[in-house]
């Protein structure tokens, strides 16, 4: 995905973990304040109204963010939503090459068909102008066909809820350039534009 504007000192997942600041949130927590302090929060469950309220509060304050929606697996018995700010770097996973990376979204669970997005952004964009759309009705078709869609408008909450109900894990970023734009991508999509950390 494109880089977001980093306006705060970098903070890493491992730093938060060392300080005991990655515990899940509880009812009554001031999630906006905690997210601004830590740069990262997670909540159990699928995307719902409380997260929508938080995203709208971030946008009202001109704050760009990233959202990842995960299903469940052996290590994570419940679906989770992770929300982070541009200065947060996820380094919780030790990769085979010895570097550290973040928790990655997976193939749709259950897999209804083989989703393989082996064509990078630059190639898809040349032959599909609808990678960027203002039409809410086109989001599902473009995203499941290409593995990526950019949308300008309000937070597409019902669209995100429908995807997660159908077993899709996803990543979404907001950008505040010339209005608010959202980029949403699925597992395996190759974004060959400037990569984020």
């Amino acid at each position: 995905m494109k880089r977001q504007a980093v306006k705060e000192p970098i903070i890493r997942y491992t730093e938060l973990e060392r300080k005991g600041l990655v515990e899940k949130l509880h009812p009554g927590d001031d999630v906006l304040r905690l997210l601004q302090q830590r740069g990262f929060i997670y909540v159990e469950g699928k995307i719902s109204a409380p997260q929508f309220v938080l995203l709208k509060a971030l946008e009202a304050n001109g704050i760009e963010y990233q959202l990842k929606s995960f299903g469940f697996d052996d290590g994570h018995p419940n679906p989770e939503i992770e929300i982070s700010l541009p200065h947060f770097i996820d380094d919780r996973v030790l990769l085979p090459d010895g570097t550290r990376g973040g928790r990655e979204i997976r193939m749709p669970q259950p897999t209804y068909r083989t989703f393989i997005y082996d064509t990078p952004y630059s190639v898809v964009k040349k032959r599909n102008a609808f990678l960027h759309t203002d039409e809410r009705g086109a989001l599902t078709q473009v995203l499941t066909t290409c593995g990526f869609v950019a949308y300008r408008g309000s937070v597409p909450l019902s669209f995100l809820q429908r995807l997660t109900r159908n077993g899709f894990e996803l990543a979404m970023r907001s950008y505040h350039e010339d209005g608010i734009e959202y980029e949403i991508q699925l597992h395996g999509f190759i974004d060959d534009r400037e990569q984020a950390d």
Side-chain angles (χ1 to χ4, degrees), residues 16-183:
L16 293 177
E17 190 173 45
R18 193 167 53 249
K19 296 175 183 175
L21 297 176
V22 292
E23 74 277 4
K24 71 178 180 182
L25 300 182
H26 304 285
D29 284 344
D30 184 343
V31 291
L32 179 59
R33 180 183 59 80
L34 291 173
L35 178 59
Q36 289 176 309
Q37 286 177 347
R38 302 174 183 179
F40 168 87
I41 59 170
Y42 84 93
V43 292
E44 286 189 349
K46 295 184 178 180
I47 299 171
S48 60
Q51 289 91 52
F52 176 71
V53 170
L54 173 60
L55 302 186
K56 294 301 288 182
L58 291 170
E59 290 167 6
N61 287 285
I63 300 171
E64 296 182 347
Y65 61 85
Q66 176 170 290
L67 176 146
K68 285 187 176 181
S69 175
F70 296 100
F72 58 89
D73 57 28
D74 292 340
H76 305 88
N78 298 303
E80 292 177 3
I81 305 297
E82 294 186 354
I83 302 172
S84 60
L85 302 184
H87 62 284
F88 171 77
I89 295 178
D90 190 349
D91 63 346
R92 77 184 91 174
V93 178
L94 183 61
L95 302 175
D97 65 1
T99 60
R100 300 196 73 85
R103 184 177 173 192
E104 295 294 326
I105 54 175
R106 299 170 301 169
M107 295 279 283
Q109 304 291 326
T111 303
Y112 296 104
R113 67 177 178 84
T114 304
F115 288 88
I116 300 176
Y117 305 112
D118 55 1
T119 307
Y121 177 95
S122 56
V123 175
V124 176
K125 180 60 179 162
K126 284 179 184 174
R127 55 180 206 227
N128 184 349
F130 295 106
L131 272 180
H132 292 253
T133 181
D134 295 338
E135 296 296 325
R136 193 179 282 249
L139 291 175
T140 301
Q141 181 180 355
V142 176
L143 182 64
T144 55
T145 300
C146 302
F148 173 96
V149 68
Y151 170 73
R152 192 176 294 276
S154 58
V155 181
L157 177 63
S158 59
F159 166 71
L160 298 175
Q161 289 176 318
R162 187 166 63 252
L163 277 176
T164 56
R165 270 199 311 270
N166 287 326
F168 285 85
E169 295 189 354
L170 59 92
M172 180 177 85
R173 279 190 180 169
S174 73
Y175 300 91
H176 291 248
E177 306 166 355
D178 211 16
I180 301 175
E181 183 179 57
Y182 308 92
E183 290 189 354

Side-chain angles (χ1 to χ4, degrees), residues 8-22:
E8 303 288 341
I10 295 295
I11 188 162
R12 301 175 187 276
Y13 183 94
T14 48
E15 293 173 24
L16 293 177
E17 190 173 45
R18 193 167 53 249
K19 296 175 183 175
L21 297 176
V22 292

